Structure formats: structure tokens, C-alpha cells
Amino acid sequence: MEVVPEVLYHYRITGDSVSRGLTPETEALRDLRYARPFVEALPPALADLPRIASGWVHRCRLLEKELSKNKARIAKLEARLRRDGRKGLEIHIRLTAQSLRAWFARLMTSIRKRLPRRESDRRH
Amino acid sequence: MAWAGRSGGAGETRLREWVAGRGTGAITVEAVPVACRLNHPWRLRWERAFDFRQWLRAFALRHPVAVVNVPDTGGVAYYALLAKRGGVDFEGVRFVVEASGPLRRLRALGHLAIDNLQDLYQDFLERRCIEMADALIAPDPVIPDWLASHGWAMPAQVAVAEPVSDASVAVAPAGRVSRIVFIAPLSMGGQLPRVCRTLGQDSVKDRLRDVEIVFWGPSEGVRDKAAMAHIEASAASWPFRWRVEGDLSARAAERLFGDGAGVAIFPTGRSMGWLPYQWCRDSGVACVEPVGLGAQSRRMHMDAADLRRLEEIPDPEAIGRALHAALDGTTNTQGTPPSPGGGRVEARVKLMLEPPTPARAQAMSTAEAPLVSVCIVTRNRARLLPQALASIEAQDYPAIEVVLVDDGSTMKGALAILDDLEPRFRQKGWRMFRQEERTFHAAARNRAVREARGEWVMLFDDDCVSEPHQIRTMLAFATNIGADIVTCPRHVFIGDHRPATGDRSGSVWVPLGAVPAAGLFENCLGDTNLLIRRRVFLELEGLRTDFGVPSADREFLIRAATAGL
């Protein structure tokens, strides 16, 4: 297999191209399809290796996406911090603490509901 | 002569001086533009190699080129060499590849593995460049020995010659040394632990009190963390300042060496390759020659076994000796002095100007032109199919048949177009197969190839447009280079219009070639629009027919590449 180092045709990108608008299921099937030649070429004991490698790469890409999203979020927060100064940060911390307290209270309530009632409670 | 070494460096200057001194005017030296050149010795995308091929072609149209001199690092000449071997371009041009220690070897010497796609691509490019070159020139016999012993395909001529760029062995510092720069990968696989241990020795620490230590090297991603942690832990006992510099740009080099107070040490020796070392010498940066630092000696009288031992078992005292040499402002040179610069250039140019290996370019006569079946699958593409067919009709290759499979079109316009095409197909001896039921692309393509009568088949999308010389060029290339499957770069465009011949207004996508391992993660192999021997397609049992799942072409190419095609 070799590459002619010459541009020899024009490839059109169209709205109805097969690779466009793939569902996550089809994408997953497509990724498995790429692993198949390796799986077939390997002894059965090693057949999971290409799938694992493929899975890791997929996970890395997801993590990279998440990382870049978080970076953007951090940049926003930093910008806000610069803009609002210490006071803004204090407000932010207070709000975060409030919401954390509320979340913790909800959590405790839900845990209490799931716990078996104590003997002393039953008596009353 | 096209020179792809460091621009404005001593090598290029010396070569130019030598040529000017001859006074014949028969040879001119042309430096490759920066855009196509290796920026630094660690990374290169393969598109750069395609840019280099395009530049060289444009240049060769204006000036006759006899010799192209390129480093192996990065495999920049890959596509240019493909063009030559496939008889597309550069007939009579001699490609001389300079071995500075390709990535695979550098990695092995640093006890590191090829562990990412970029390295895999670079390894492929370098391997193929060396294989297809007319000659390989190495600064030391240990490099070709290593390549041959690791199963690399070597060119017909392999020569050992000292680099033209430098007469001195190492550059002494101009004044007091206040900074020592270790140039090495920042990873635990290399010599970093040994450097840290040496820096912790009392005899060394005392001398370094007023000196700043800098670790300057390429980033190894996640592994950096372990290396950084190791440096930080070791640094607890260091009385001197230290820092890590991951920026490999020229600006960083200026910061480190611009004031003349810095000295470079190569703890992994030349396993970092010749380029950083050569760069130091070209730029007049004080450096300690990496003899005995885990690298091979430059001396030719050592036998291959000695050299290999030196490469693989680093001398634990050597880094300490190098540090003392750097602080004393002395060089640690040994052995015979190098030959004078002019003599080295003369020897080098003589090697370059030997006649090139002829490419197997053969012109094909009309009588012997094998039949090429262009296999197209269509479905509801009323507007675009005629454009694809017109571009096939306009081919300058004489023996073509089109096999068109309609994969269950349902739209009236598409059905009407197919009705119109039928008499035209009959008249030309082309064939059309209309399927009521949709079978999906892969199954329809397999049918087209089964029905084809040509020795070669070209798979072609119904919405693509071919350049008029596509089939002729691909077939001639396949014949000359001895390939059963041939792919090519494509011009990518958006819209319903028919692009003009030579239109490159959109982007260009370039396949790399048969790197099967990479195919699992990224498509570097090619796409559906390929030329293949019909027999080979059938032997590989065609495309896999998973209804509704695209990319059967990429899977097919991975299978072909893993089968060694």
C-alpha cells in the first residue's frame, strides 16, 4: 500500500454524508469495527488488547474534552475573581458554603429516612 | 543542491563557501524554506513532509536540482522520495539522507519506547526515507550498524562521513560559567536519575554553589510528573539554584545561552541525536562533547562492539567529569583531531554527486494499458452523480470501464437520472446494476468489484470529482513502485458546484500510508477512493458488510496493512 504524493481528486463534504449525524451507538460500532482486524490477527488470549487500547483512547479523548471545558470554566472564574476582587470571592465562598450546607442537610434527611428507626423513637 | 539542514548554520555556510571557492558556478546551494524545515529535532507532522515535496517540485520546475540533502529526523523527504520511486517526479535527482539517529534509536538509547501516535508516524516516515534514499550518510558507523541490526531496509549506498558543519569538537565557554544546561528528555527512562545523583555528590555540590542548573528537554507528557518529583526530591540537598525549562523554542535558547555564561551538557550523549549537539556547535554555544556520557564515541578507530557497549552501558563517572570540564572551561576531547573543514566538505560533496539510483519509471503504451474498472455506488444522488461520471469520462487513460451499482435509490430525480444514463452506459460498454433493496455501501461496492472485468479497480465515491490524470497517474505509480493498493491526497471542498481542474481552494488531506497500528486510533491510511488490484480486493474478501455502520473502507485498509500489503 503506497500513497501517490499528488492531489488527484476533489472530495465533497455534503450534509448527507454517511459519517455525519451518527448516533452514539453507530459510533461505538464503528470504533469496534476498527479494532476487528487486530482482534482477528491476534491469538485469542490477546484479543482484548486492541479493544482496551481503543477504549482507553476514547476515554482519554473524553477526558481531554472535559479538561478543556474545565480550563475554560477556571479561566472564567479567574476573570471574575480579578474583576470582583476579594469581596466577590467572599460572596462566592459564602454562597458555595450555603449551598453545600443545604445539600448536606438534604443528604442527612434522605439518609435518616432510609435508616431503620431506633427503638426509643418507636416507643414515642 | 537543496539543503535542508539548519538555516544559516555553519554547515550551510561552509557548503556555500566551498561551492563559491570552486568558482565553476556549476553548483548552487538552495536552503529549504523554514515552513518545510525541521523546527526542532523532536516532533514533525507528516503534512510537513508533503509541504516539502510540493516546495521541491515547484523549485525543481524553476531550477535543475541534482542533489537533495536532508536529515533523517522527521522523515521530511518521505513524499518526495515516494514521488521519485513511483516515477511521478524528480527523475535523476539524488536524495542523500543524513543519519542523525532516527527516533526509534534515540528512544531505545534513552530506554524509552515509542508510545504515542506522533512518534509512531515519525518512526514510519524516517524508516521509509532511509529505505527509499539513494544514499545514507552517517557521522558514525554505529548508526547504520544499529539500523541494519534492527531490521531496517537500507539504501544501496551507505557511507560514513563527518558532518560538514563543524571543525571544532566542542566549543569552550567565553567567560565565567554561571549556568549549566543539561539537554535531555525530562523523563525517568533516560539519564535524569544519574544526573540528579551526580549533582548530589559533595565534590560536585561545592563547585556548583554559584551556578544555576537548568534541565532543558522535550516534554514527555504524563511521565514528566515522575521526573519532576524526582528532581524536586533530589534538590532538597542541593545548595545551588536549579530549574526546569520545557520551552524548546529559539527564544528559550537565547535566554539560556545568549549571555555567553551557559554551557550545555548532553547526559544521554548523542542519543538525543546529532541535531541538538550540532545546533550548539553551529550556534557557538559552549558545550561539552558527549563522549563517554552513555553515547558513542565519534572516533572511528573504536570497533563496533566497543561503540555499542558505550551506548548501552553509560559511564557513571562521566557526568561528573563533564560537569568539572564545563566549570573549568575545558573540553573533554580525546583521540585524533577532526579533519579540516574544507576536506570534509569535499568528501561530502563527492558522495552527494554520485549518480542517483534510477527510479523504475516506465511509460505505458496504449496497447498494454490494463483495463481499470471504476466502481461507483450511488443512492439518491441525482445532482452529484453526473459530475462524478463526467470527471471519469474526461480521464486521459484509454482503458476504462465504469461499474455503477445503484443501492436502492428511492427519489424520483435520482431514478430519472439513472434511466437517462442507461443508454449511454450501454453505448460505452459500461455497466449499471440497479438494486431494489438497499444493501448499504460496503455490500454494494463488493458487488461492483465482483462484476468488474478490469485487472485493476478504482473505488470512487458518487459525489467526488476526479482530476483528468488520476487513473493514469495512480496506475503508473502503482506499477513503478510495485504496490497492489494505491491511495492519494484529496482536495476537500463544500458545495454542489463542480470544482475546476487544479482547484485547491479548500483544504488538502494527505494520507500517510501503511501504518496499521495507528489505524486503530486515527485514519492515516487513506479512504474509499483508491486503486487496487481486483485479485487482491477479492483475496481480502472485500469490504465487511455491517449494515448501517460506516467506515468499512478504513477497516479494509487496516486489514490490508496488517496483511503486509
Side-chain angles (χ1 to χ4, degrees):
Chain A
M1 188 193 307
E2 298 283 5
V3 180
V4 187
E6 189 90 33
V7 181
L8 291 174
Y9 71 98
H10 306 268
Y11 182 88
R12 191 189 313 266
I13 303 274
T14 54
D16 63 343
S17 294
V18 182
S19 54
R20 290 208 165 191
L22 289 181
T23 61
E25 290 78 20
T26 325
E27 267 190 48
L29 285 173
R30 189 181 60 172
D31 287 349
L32 279 179
R33 160 166 248 175
Y34 301 146
R36 192 158 50 190
F38 300 98
V39 173
E40 286 167 358
L42 285 168
L46 301 177
D48 281 334
L49 278 178
R51 295 193 193 107
I52 290 171
S54 175
W56 272 350
V57 168
H58 186 63
R59 196 174 294 186
C60 277
R61 284 181 185 148
L62 289 179
L63 286 173
E64 271 170 13
K65 260 189 207 168
E66 200 161 320
L67 187 68
S68 68
K69 250 192 236 167
N70 284 340
K71 270 185 187 165
R73 222 174 277 166
I74 289 168
K76 245 188 213 171
L77 280 174
E78 276 175 351
R80 198 165 134 194
L81 186 62
R82 272 196 299 276
R83 197 182 59 229
D84 298 349
R86 193 191 161 101
K87 198 167 179 191
L89 182 65
E90 279 167 3
I91 294 168
H92 190 72
I93 289 170
R94 211 164 41 235
L95 288 173
T96 311
Q98 272 173 11
S99 62
L100 271 176
R101 265 200 296 274
W103 173 80
F104 190 68
R106 277 202 305 278
L107 181 72
M108 289 309 289
T109 315
S110 102
I111 290 171
R112 266 191 220 115
K113 273 183 192 166
R114 282 156 207 243
L115 283 174
R117 297 183 73 185
R118 282 177 298 184
E119 282 301 309
S120 55
D121 295 341
R122 279 187 197 153
R123 255 179 257 141
H124 293 293
Chain B
M1 183 181 294
W3 171 263
R6 188 174 164 274
S7 173
E12 186 187 332
T13 310
R14 189 151 294 161
L15 201 58
R16 284 186 189 284
E17 280 169 7
W18 182 86
V19 168
R22 308 283 289 181
T24 61
I27 303 174
T28 54
V29 177
E30 187 69 29
V32 170
V34 175
C36 311
R37 202 197 299 264
L38 214 55
N39 278 344
H40 63 75
W42 295 294
R43 287 285 181 271
L44 184 83
R45 285 284 302 181
W46 74 80
E47 287 87 348
R48 184 80 55 88
F50 189 70
D51 291 346
F52 174 73
R53 179 260 185 283
Q54 300 292 74
W55 172 82
L56 192 62
R57 179 170 58 175
F59 181 78
L61 287 174
R62 296 194 308 275
H63 314 277
V65 174
V67 179
V68 177
N69 180 227
V70 284
D72 61 348
T73 313
V76 73
Y78 169 63
Y79 290 107
L81 279 161
L82 273 179
K84 179 183 169 176
R85 296 288 161 226
V88 175
D89 253 328
F90 312 127
E91 195 189 342
V93 177
R94 182 169 159 84
F95 283 81
V96 179
V97 171
E98 300 264 352
S100 60
L103 184 80
R104 170 81 60 170
R105 180 172 169 274
L106 307 186
R107 290 264 155 182
L109 295 177
H111 309 290
L112 297 168
I114 299 278
D115 61 359
N116 64 77
L117 285 181
Q118 287 307 312
D119 286 357
L120 196 63
Y121 298 144
Q122 186 169 333
D123 177 53
F124 173 80
L125 290 165
E126 290 172 350
R127 207 177 271 266
R128 294 299 315 275
C129 268
I130 288 176
E131 179 190 341
M132 292 190 287
D134 291 298
L136 179 77
I137 301 184
D140 197 303
V142 78
I143 297 178
D145 282 355
W146 188 94
L147 298 176
S149 67
H150 286 76
W152 287 48
M154 303 291 271
Q157 190 190 5
V158 177
V160 173
E162 288 179 274
V164 293
S165 61
D166 175 58
S168 65
V169 175
V171 181
R176 193 179 144 274
V177 176
S178 63
R179 193 178 307 109
I180 291 179
V181 182
F182 286 99
I183 303 185
L186 299 170
S187 74
M188 292 299 286
Q191 292 285 315
L192 193 66
R194 202 184 295 277
V195 170
C196 290
R197 210 176 316 141
T198 308
L199 290 171
Q201 289 170 0
D202 290 340
S203 60
V204 174
K205 274 197 292 195
D206 290 345
R207 292 204 64 189
L208 293 175
R209 284 186 190 282
D210 299 325
V211 175
E212 182 189 32
I213 297 291
V214 182
F215 298 90
W216 192 33
S219 161
E220 291 295 333
V222 178
R223 283 197 304 239
D224 280 358
K225 286 187 180 166
M228 285 300 299
H230 185 80
I231 297 174
E232 278 167 16
S234 308
S237 68
W238 294 347
F240 45 82
R241 286 171 296 129
W242 65 274
R243 69 188 161 99
V244 171
E245 180 65 70
D247 178 4
L248 304 172
S249 68
R251 272 202 315 275
E254 178 60 30
R255 282 199 302 275
L256 292 172
F257 299 108
D259 58 4
V263 177
I265 295 183
F266 302 86
T268 48
R270 287 183 197 146
S271 67
M272 280 293 286
W274 269 85
L275 289 177
Y277 181 48
Q278 212 163 311
W279 169 81
C280 281
R281 296 184 304 173
D282 283 357
S283 316
V285 164
C287 59
V288 177
E289 194 194 14
V291 173
L293 296 180
Q296 73 276 19
S297 165
R298 196 154 68 95
R299 306 296 153 228
M300 305 304 166
H301 60 261
M302 296 184 82
D303 67 24
D306 282 343
L307 293 167
R308 236 170 259 132
R309 200 172 57 243
L310 269 175
E311 276 187 323
E312 285 158 15
I313 310 168
D315 174 2
E317 304 299 321
I319 295 169
R321 282 202 302 275
L323 268 166
H324 287 296
L327 291 165
D328 294 341
T330 57
T331 57
N332 57 343
T333 58
Q334 301 161 15
T336 52
S339 53
R344 289 207 313 277
V345 177
E346 184 115 22
R348 176 60 60 101
V349 172
K350 206 174 148 199
L351 274 170
M352 286 180 188
L353 293 181
E354 282 184 20
T357 319
R360 288 188 296 167
Q362 292 162 5
M364 213 174 280
S365 70
T366 310
E368 65 185 17
L371 180 67
V372 176
S373 303
V374 181
C375 297
I376 304 176
V377 171
T378 191
R379 180 180 154 81
N380 293 333
R381 285 262 169 80
R383 274 175 305 155
L384 304 180
L385 178 64
Q387 283 187 25
L389 288 173
S391 73
I392 298 299
E393 226 168 345
Q395 291 293 310
D396 58 8
Y397 184 74
I400 293 173
E401 69 158 358
V402 173
V403 181
L404 179 70
V405 174
D406 172 45
D407 192 25
S409 286
T410 49
M411 290 163 77
K412 275 185 187 167
L415 293 169
I417 289 281
L418 291 170
D419 290 343
D420 285 351
L421 283 172
E422 267 183 323
R424 232 171 82 201
F425 264 56
R426 268 197 299 276
Q427 190 192 350
K428 285 182 169 291
W430 295 358
R431 283 166 314 138
M432 183 189 298
F433 300 91
R434 299 177 73 165
Q435 303 181 159
E436 295 283 319
E437 289 284 312
R438 188 182 185 192
T439 58
F440 215 66
H441 280 67
R445 270 193 225 286
N446 286 345
R447 178 170 183 198
V449 176
R450 277 199 309 273
E451 302 286 355
R453 291 173 295 205
E455 182 186 339
W456 291 84
V457 291
M458 190 174 90
L459 307 184
F460 199 65
D461 280 336
D462 60 345
D463 58 348
C464 289
V465 175
S466 181
E467 290 281 353
H469 59 293
Q470 178 173 4
I471 294 177
R472 176 176 52 81
T473 309
M474 286 180 104
L475 190 63
F477 181 88
T479 312
N480 289 331
I481 211 160
D484 288 326
I485 304 175
V486 171
T487 61
C488 68
R490 66 193 188 196
H491 165 239
V492 182
F493 74 106
I494 298 171
D496 285 353
H497 66 285
R498 182 177 172 181
T501 301
D503 179 7
R504 300 287 179 270
S505 52
S507 59
V508 169
W509 181 76
V510 188
L512 176 62
V515 194
L520 180 59
F521 311 108
E522 196 173 86
N523 188 15
C524 58
L525 301 158
D527 72 355
T528 308
N529 300 279
L530 53 86
L531 183 78
I532 182 169
R533 274 185 202 279
R534 184 171 172 273
R535 172 183 53 79
V536 171
F537 185 89
L538 297 175
E539 277 171 8
L540 287 166
E541 295 172 356
L543 303 170
R544 292 276 165 79
T545 54
D546 297 357
F547 190 90
V549 184
S551 305
D553 50 350
R554 180 163 148 197
E555 189 203 344
F556 176 78
L557 288 171
I558 296 173
R559 252 184 310 130
T562 46
L565 288 170

